Amino acid sequence: MNHAAPREVEPGPNPPPIADAQDPHHDRILILDFGAQYTQLIGRTVRELGVYCEIFPWDVDYAVIEAFAPRGVILSGGPASAYEDDTPAAPAALFDSGLPVLGICYGMQTLVAQLGGSVENADHREYGHAKVETRRACRLLGEAGQDLDVWMSHGDRVSALPEGFEVVGVSRNSPYAAIANDARGYYGVQFHPEVTHTAAGKDMLGRFVHDICGCAADWVPANIISAIVADVRERVGKEEVILGLSGGVDSSVVAALLHEAIGDQLTCIFVDTGLLRLNEGDQVMATFAEHLGVRVIRVDAEDEFLARLAGVADPEDKRRIIGNLFVEIFERESAKITGAAWLAQGTIYPDVIESAGNKHGKAKVIKSHHNVGGLPEHMKLQLLEPLRELFKDEVRRIGVDLGLPERMVYRHPFPGPGLGVRILGEVKKEYADILRLADAIYLEELEKHDLYDQVSQAFAVFLPVKSVGVVGDNRAYEYVIALRAVETVDFMTANWARLPYEMLATVSSRIINEVRGISRVTYDISGKPPATIEWE
């Protein structure tokens, strides 16, 4: 095989959604983001209702909104106050468009303020569970006389309505908890229908997108797959594509999608860092190379990664070293593939929203995204990101439809740097081998006790400190393993999982007895915040 010269990555334009009546992008909702922590939950809920949507910043040029051609617009919550000077506001042209509008929390307040009503600082703030009584029937909330369990999070409130609006719901501290102008299709709710704490919230959003905006429920896995496959075939033609296959959910689904679309035109490069879970490398090869027939080049790079990480203890340094070396090895291997014109990546929609400098987000970086940064500029490949419109739960659903094993698709999140950030401090082969075995025992027992799918994420952490123990009749001075399990909806906040003591006792006993070098097992009962889910 001839060795091609390294080529420059050219992030090609991402095609706009195909807007024809047979495509699942045809009916769409626009969400204007005013900085709420729940904005992505609005998007995910609308998608779950079978309607395509995208999230734009509140100050987007109205021409972009027109080009997007939504059937309706949702204004998210946010931290600002609608009565202040220079406060964020929806584009004025939106209210001349004839589009239905739903304002949520701050979105309701800016809707009111911009249309001539009033907003004030509330004497009594509302945070947490509340009851809303529906006073009048409307298309959004349904019949009058309902008692709705909702989730509030606000310090301001509406004090006077614009012309044409009426109160349709009240709470103890919000005389304008829900408002409506049925004639124009304008609605506002002071509570958050997108969170699970609002019992009928999904039904409300469903009525808005389906009944009020008239959107069909055609954003479903089969249609999504068909649209993506057709788009990839049109863009790629007969050219070759390379993909860095990590074994994670996103890259695995990309591999299955591209194999469906272009077959042997795809070559996957699987860099085995030596920082994967027990037997994970073999499982990746069995699934893709043997079961699906995907062309996969496996690179055993454990020694290279361990050598580069020697003496490095800082978490961000480790992340950077692992990411950079992965790129070096991927570049080295991809240079051996002749004729490759495209680089595929597993970028998903939250990456697009959250990445610093992108058109949708201004989020503060808490720690480095393992999948943000790309390859060296001198590699001339066009970028192919077939999942960049999808949330993680959508990625999982289409993965199952594509024939990937359900346990692979629905397994718990695993960080890009792998065990490198679950070993505190310096990474050594001894530590990685110990952690792999301990983690495998923990996950195996979660499966046995039917608890794996009841927690959102569970894993073991290696602590490079030694603790006194007794093994048989001998004193032992060996390492410590910490176990972590959390329950969360969106991974932005999380509670530690209340696992049964008997199950934890079994795990602890097995790890200490079966994994040489461990004398103590602990359980992490920290929530997020203040702790993060991963330890590094």
Side-chain angles (χ1 to χ4, degrees):
M1 180 179 291
N2 295 327
H3 289 199
R7 292 174 291 181
E8 194 174 339
V9 170
E10 296 175 351
N14 293 294
I18 306 164
D20 61 62
Q22 287 74 44
D23 190 87
H25 296 95
H26 176 64
D27 289 343
R28 58 184 73 173
I29 295 293
L30 172 66
I31 300 167
L32 284 182
D33 181 14
F34 288 90
Q37 61 175 319
Y38 299 134
T39 302
Q40 286 193 38
L41 288 183
I42 302 172
R44 286 172 53 192
T45 304
V46 171
R47 298 275 189 94
E48 287 171 3
L49 291 163
V51 179
Y52 182 73
C53 67
E54 287 192 21
I55 298 169
F56 289 1
W58 64 269
D59 56 353
V60 67
D61 191 288
Y62 189 70
V64 176
I65 297 177
E66 285 188 305
F68 184 68
R71 283 294 196 81
V73 177
I74 298 175
L75 311 179
S76 85
S81 293
Y83 50 77
E84 294 178 346
D85 294 335
D86 300 322
T87 192
L94 173 63
F95 303 113
D96 296 322
S97 68
L99 294 172
V101 178
L102 169 61
I104 295 174
C105 198
Y106 178 81
M108 166 185 170
Q109 294 164 11
T110 193
L111 174 68
V112 166
Q114 290 185 250
L115 294 178
S118 299
V119 178
E120 64 181 13
N121 186 253
D123 292 332
H124 299 285
R125 301 183 177 191
E126 285 185 298
Y127 293 100
H129 293 282
K131 288 277 189 182
V132 167
E133 177 191 347
T134 57
R135 290 288 176 86
R136 300 189 183 200
C138 74
R139 288 194 290 167
L140 182 74
L141 301 185
E143 298 178 355
Q146 302 176 74
D147 282 325
L148 304 174
D149 292 311
V150 304
W151 183 262
M152 295 279 195
S153 179
H154 67 98
D156 298 335
R157 69 180 188 181
V158 172
S159 55
L161 292 180
E163 183 180 350
F165 280 83
E166 61 181 1
V167 178
V168 294
V170 300
S171 72
R172 182 176 179 181
N173 292 316
S174 293
Y176 302 94
I179 61 174
N181 183 332
D182 269 328
R184 296 187 70 179
Y186 289 175
Y187 302 88
V189 292
Q190 188 59 74
F191 52 87
H192 289 273
E194 69 274 23
V195 302
T196 55
H197 305 297
T198 297
K202 190 171 183 178
D203 293 336
M204 297 173 200
L205 290 171
R207 285 192 285 270
F208 180 71
V209 301
H210 295 310
D211 301 339
I212 296 167
C213 298
C215 294
D218 52 13
W219 182 255
V220 294
N223 290 345
I224 297 169
I225 292 170
S226 296
I228 293 175
V229 166
D231 179 59
V232 168
R233 286 174 177 166
E234 181 178 350
R235 296 181 70 197
V236 171
K238 299 297 184 182
E239 294 176 321
E240 298 288 322
V241 178
I242 57 174
L243 167 68
L245 180 61
S246 68
V249 174
D250 300 335
S251 71
S252 296
V253 173
V254 170
L257 260 176
L258 294 180
H259 184 67
E260 174 83 9
I262 57 174
D264 290 343
Q265 291 168 244
L266 171 68
T267 300
C268 296
I269 299 174
F270 171 45
V271 180
D272 189 341
T273 64
L275 301 172
L276 301 176
R277 288 165 286 202
L278 188 67
N279 300 323
E280 189 167 16
D282 293 339
Q283 291 166 3
V284 168
M285 295 303 294
T287 297
F288 289 96
E290 297 168 25
H291 177 61
L292 293 179
V294 178
R295 182 187 299 137
V296 183
I297 298 171
R298 182 176 184 175
V299 184
D300 183 359
E302 180 183 44
D303 292 343
E304 288 185 78
F305 278 90
L306 291 175
R308 194 73 64 90
L309 290 166
V312 179
D314 180 83
E316 281 299 294
D317 288 343
K318 291 194 292 183
R319 287 175 179 271
R320 186 176 62 254
I321 288 168
I322 292 169
N324 289 346
L325 182 55
F326 183 94
V327 166
E328 288 178 29
I329 295 171
F330 183 87
E331 181 183 10
R332 183 177 73 209
E333 295 300 321
S334 63
K336 302 174 186 177
I337 301 171
T338 57
W342 296 84
L343 167 69
Q345 290 187 345
T347 307
I348 62 175
Y349 196 43
D351 299 333
V352 175
I353 298 169
E354 295 170 358
S355 298
N358 78 80
K359 68 177 181 179
H360 296 315
K362 303 177 179 71
K364 182 177 179 181
V365 175
I366 303 300
K367 55 188 177 184
S368 302
H369 268 293
H370 70 271
N371 55 345
V372 173
L375 291 181
E377 295 182 359
H378 61 271
M379 290 186 70
K380 285 188 177 178
L381 295 172
Q382 297 181 78
L383 199 56
L384 189 63
E385 297 177 311
L387 305 181
R388 68 177 285 117
E389 293 177 350
L390 304 184
F391 287 103
K392 177 72 83 171
D393 46 355
E394 295 172 311
V395 173
R396 294 185 195 279
R397 287 198 295 271
I398 70 170
V400 171
D401 273 31
L402 286 164
L404 292 177
E406 192 156 328
R407 176 48 71 221
M408 168 183 276
V409 171
Y410 281 97
R411 69 181 177 181
H412 295 169
F414 188 62
L419 302 182
V421 290
R422 290 182 178 173
I423 296 168
L424 300 196
E426 184 180 5
V427 177
K428 298 181 179 179
K429 179 172 173 54
E430 174 196 5
Y431 300 168
D433 289 343
I434 288 173
L435 179 56
R436 252 187 288 275
L437 293 172
D439 188 71
I441 290 170
Y442 183 29
L443 298 184
E444 180 183 319
E445 289 298 330
L446 284 169
E447 294 273 15
K448 282 183 181 177
H449 287 80
D450 197 27
L451 292 167
Y452 185 89
D453 293 321
Q454 295 183 39
V455 299
S456 305
Q457 188 173 5
F459 55 91
V461 178
F462 180 88
L463 309 185
V465 293
K466 289 191 174 183
S467 169
V468 174
V470 178
V471 179
D473 294 324
N474 298 315
R475 179 180 183 274
Y477 190 57
E478 295 176 322
Y479 295 110
V480 179
I481 287 288
L483 305 178
R484 180 79 156 137
V486 298
E487 296 172 346
T488 179
V489 173
D490 56 11
F491 289 88
M492 296 168 64
T493 62
N495 296 317
W496 61 275
R498 274 63 171 174
L499 296 179
Y501 291 159
E502 294 79 6
M503 178 266 178
L504 290 172
T506 299
V507 174
S508 175
S509 177
R510 283 196 59 194
I511 289 175
I512 291 171
N513 283 299
E514 297 176 31
V515 183
R516 188 175 296 275
I518 298 298
S519 64
R520 192 176 299 270
V521 175
T522 67
Y523 188 57
D524 181 353
I525 59 169
S526 308
K528 177 186 179 181
T532 54
I533 294 176
E534 296 284 349
W535 278 45
E536 288 194 339

